[in-house]
Amino acid sequence: MSRFQKFKHQTRDVIHRGFDRHIRLAVTGLSGAGKTALITGILEQLLYANETQQLPYFNVRQQQRLNGCRLHTSSNWQVSRFDYEGAIDCLTGQAPKWPQSTRDVSEIRVEIKYQPRSGLAGRVMDTRRLTLDLIDYPGEWLLDLPLLQLSYDEWSRQQQRLLKAELRDQLASGWLDKVQTAVKVASEEKAEQQLRELATDYRAFLRQCRERKLLLLQPGRMVLPGELEGAPALEFFPWPLSEPMPEAWAKRLREKYRYYQQNVITPFYQKYFKHFNRQVVLVDVLQALQNGEHHFAELQLAINELMKSFSYGNNSLLKRLMSPVIDKVALVATKADSIAPQNHQKLTQLLQLMTQKQRQELQFDQIPHQVFSVAGIATSQIRKLSDGTTVLDGINEQRELVRVGAPEVPNAMPTEADWRQGYVYPQFYPGFTAQDSPLPHIRLDQLLEYVLGDKLK
Ligand SMILES: Nc1nc2c(ncn2[C@@H]2O[C@H](COP(=O)(O)OP(=O)(O)OP(=O)(O)O)[C@@H](O)[C@H]2O)c(=O)[nH]1
Ligand SMILES: [Mg+2]
């Protein structure tokens, strides 16, 4: 190699390193919000980007500067690889179905190779690379994050308020009776056993809440313990009564809670959420509308709690704990294929209203953010009938073709009368075959452009 060639090679290397970029994207959302489907959809669109016309707003593709994308295992070798192929097999197999609810953490890395648009880099080298890391995890564990900011007593007070809400009060009544009875016989010698039994009953109550589709379920590991199944770390519960805790119990409950904060929640977030620099917050607005007023209120409360912990300013808890530098946030209403396109704007508007306070905080911290309505995997076909009505065709759980009138979406907070009338949205099933790849989506290209576009110039 001549000296000139060597110089050129080294220069290229240095510039490559300088321009190679890395995005760690935190896909956050409660259980069922659509994280796994969205990650699958993103990977699908990236891998097939050059073979599809489905990405008009993804500039690097549209400007024909995309060389291609490749999947890799993440650099964190202790974590399973996100099973993209498994998810696609589920969606396109013999009996297509949605991938199962996530039970554990997984990660995947995408290498995106592209040509720069212009400028110095455009002249000196041919290609650049953007590395995108995505992490998938059970939504239940996300709700542990707000606990880091609360003492046991603060958490208990919050839960006491929540336990008075309709539906929750009914579901909790059995457990509350047990606590009231047990308080009378609380003793130092039997404390451990008494608390273990009450914690088991609390867990049963949380599971009932989950079955009834309530959302703010804490601690998350009690709903989905993972490797903590049966561990003493989970033998606590929020103090639910207005009378003070018996002395024999108070110290133990506070101690267990602190242990859970320090040894379960903190290591989890330090391990997986470190170095995140972009965030997508997924919200299943339609499901909450369908489930009714209390669920909708609870969803808002959960988003509020979550975004408080993700508060992006310098003094935020996350910053102190693991110093991520989240510099862009997308707030996303999912499953937009359950409504007609003319209602997408209303869905976006509703999420905008629901997150008004959080968006003001983002604005204050000068974090760019935008609200979207998307479908990671779109399952419906829109048809306009001769009488002017719009309908959605899709497949139901029994794999029959069904047609439903396109349901309405409120563009303002529903009124009492709206709630009385209620909302119903279709839940379509995937009916794809292997030939359907890349699977259809709604507005993933706009989301990709927002989250990745500035790094692909
Ligand atoms: N129509 C439609 N349904 C979707 C879409 N994404 C998710 N769903 C539905 O929502 C369910 C939950 O989606 P997931 O992607 O598994 O949700 P998740 O956030 O990963 O949930 P956890 O793994 O439990 O935390 C799926 O089983 C589908 O029924 C979408 O783009 N369109
Ligand atoms: Mg999942």
Side-chain angles (χ1 to χ4, degrees):
M1 198 185 281
S2 74
R3 257 165 80 193
F4 174 69
Q5 275 175 324
K6 205 166 162 187
F7 170 75
K8 203 171 146 197
H9 187 75
Q10 281 171 352
T11 314
R12 182 182 293 196
D13 247 21
V14 170
I15 291 177
H16 247 301
R17 251 182 280 139
F19 283 107
D20 279 1
R21 285 116 197 261
H22 194 164
I23 291 182
R24 268 180 81 79
L25 184 64
V27 179
T28 37
L30 301 178
S31 179
K35 298 180 293 297
T36 302
L38 187 99
I39 293 174
T40 306
I42 286 180
L43 297 176
E44 179 85 346
Q45 300 312 322
L46 286 175
L47 288 175
Y48 286 91
N50 280 335
E51 286 153 55
T52 163
Q53 300 303 322
Q54 290 192 161
L55 302 169
Y57 289 98
F58 190 37
N59 289 339
V60 72
R61 155 71 183 96
Q62 239 12 54
Q63 294 160 357
Q64 303 185 335
R65 296 188 289 109
L66 184 68
N67 291 32
C69 300
R70 237 186 228 165
L71 299 186
H72 297 277
T73 44
S74 87
S75 57
N76 190 350
W77 288 358
Q78 286 171 27
V79 188
S80 334
R81 178 180 177 279
F82 175 78
D83 189 11
Y84 161 72
E85 295 78 6
I88 294 296
D89 281 352
C90 265
L91 292 161
T92 63
Q94 281 246 307
K97 53 182 182 293
W98 289 104
Q100 279 195 335
S101 175
T102 308
R103 316 290 299 174
D104 213 337
V105 188
S106 63
E107 287 194 19
I108 197 153
R109 172 167 283 188
V110 195
E111 180 190 351
I112 304 172
K113 220 167 162 194
Y114 67 100
Q115 286 154 22
R117 212 161 52 180
S118 59
L120 171 73
R123 261 177 272 132
V124 181
M125 63 186 190
D126 333 305
T127 54
R128 285 190 205 167
R129 211 169 306 141
L130 174 70
T131 306
L132 170 67
D133 284 331
L134 294 156
I135 168 174
D136 192 27
Y137 59 95
E140 286 85 352
W141 298 352
L142 186 63
L143 280 170
D144 276 342
L145 196 55
L147 295 188
L148 288 180
Q149 312 205 84
L150 300 172
S151 70
Y152 176 76
D153 293 73
E154 286 166 337
W155 179 52
S156 295
R157 279 195 291 279
Q158 207 180 64
Q159 290 295 318
Q160 284 168 20
R161 280 196 296 276
L162 205 59
L163 283 167
K164 293 197 181 90
E166 213 171 291
L167 184 59
R168 225 173 237 261
D169 59 349
Q170 293 163 27
L171 299 176
S173 68
W175 175 62
L176 287 174
D177 287 347
K178 283 189 184 156
V179 179
Q180 249 144 7
T181 312
V183 164
K184 295 185 191 121
V185 292
S187 75
E188 189 63 46
E189 306 86 71
K190 292 205 179 135
E192 216 154 285
Q193 191 196 336
Q194 289 171 330
L195 293 178
R196 185 178 313 129
E197 283 171 15
L198 289 175
T200 307
D201 292 329
Y202 177 68
R203 186 172 169 190
F205 154 67
L206 285 182
R207 291 208 161 145
Q208 270 186 311
C209 289
R210 190 189 149 106
E211 274 162 33
R212 300 293 295 273
K213 301 196 164 68
L214 289 173
L215 294 165
L216 194 61
L217 309 180
Q218 294 167 318
R221 294 279 174 162
M222 231 181 238
V223 187
L224 188 69
E227 77 284 6
L228 289 184
E229 185 65 69
L234 297 183
E235 288 166 6
F236 69 97
F237 47 85
W239 183 245
L241 309 179
S242 48
E243 61 188 87
M245 288 181 270
E247 219 156 276
W249 291 357
K251 190 163 154 266
R252 283 187 172 84
L253 283 172
R254 291 195 183 108
E255 225 168 52
K256 278 271 158 75
Y257 180 80
R258 255 197 314 275
Y259 183 92
Y260 186 79
Q261 285 178 315
Q262 289 167 4
N263 298 287
V264 179
I265 312 177
T266 305
F268 176 78
Y269 282 96
Q270 279 180 334
K271 192 162 170 194
Y272 299 109
F273 277 54
K274 217 171 176 161
H275 307 310
F276 272 123
N277 44 15
R278 302 246 154 133
Q279 188 180 23
V280 178
V281 181
L282 303 187
V283 187
D284 188 353
V285 181
L286 297 175
Q287 178 77 53
L289 282 172
Q290 170 156 326
N291 289 340
E293 189 173 4
H294 302 299
H295 292 79
F296 192 79
E298 204 165 303
L299 174 64
Q300 269 202 283
L301 199 62
I303 300 176
N304 194 28
E305 285 302 305
L306 278 174
M307 303 260 316
K308 247 197 286 177
S309 353
F310 274 110
S311 136
Y312 306 84
N314 274 330
N315 208 14
S316 77
L317 173 88
L318 272 197
K319 226 11 99 26
R320 278 178 276 136
L321 200 66
M322 54 200 92
S323 54
V325 200
I326 295 180
D327 63 4
K328 220 174 200 192
V329 178
L331 298 154
V332 175
T334 52
K335 311 179 190 177
D337 55 323
S338 313
I339 55 174
Q342 61 263 34
N343 280 327
H344 289 172
Q345 184 53 31
K346 287 189 192 168
L347 182 60
T348 309
Q349 238 168 311
L350 186 58
L351 183 58
Q352 237 155 9
L353 280 176
M354 291 170 73
T355 54
Q356 193 170 38
K357 219 167 103 205
Q358 293 79 18
R359 287 185 300 104
Q360 282 168 355
E361 293 286 322
L362 288 168
Q363 187 79 31
F364 186 83
D365 289 330
Q366 293 176 292
I367 311 286
H369 55 278
Q370 198 168 315
V371 184
F372 296 85
S373 292
V374 313
I377 311 282
T379 51
S380 68
Q381 306 270 346
I382 313 292
R383 307 242 184 269
K384 194 135 191 159
L385 303 183
S386 50
D387 64 359
T389 49
T390 308
V391 294
L392 302 172
D393 285 347
I395 288 171
N396 68 9
E397 198 172 357
Q398 287 72 42
R399 307 215 163 76
E400 300 152 343
L401 201 65
V402 285
R403 171 166 289 183
V404 297
E408 273 307 312
V409 182
N411 60 354
M413 290 298 184
T415 60
E416 255 177 55
D418 292 335
W419 285 125
R420 271 197 300 277
Q421 198 167 356
Y423 299 94
V424 181
Y425 298 100
Q427 274 180 346
F428 292 129
Y429 279 70
F432 304 110
T433 68
Q435 279 81 50
D436 292 322
S437 273
L439 298 178
H441 68 90
I442 293 173
R443 236 169 263 117
L444 274 189
D445 53 339
Q446 290 184 28
L447 184 64
L448 282 171
E449 182 58 30
Y450 185 71
V451 175
L452 309 180
D454 58 323
K455 303 279 185 190
L456 292 169
K457 284 189 173 156

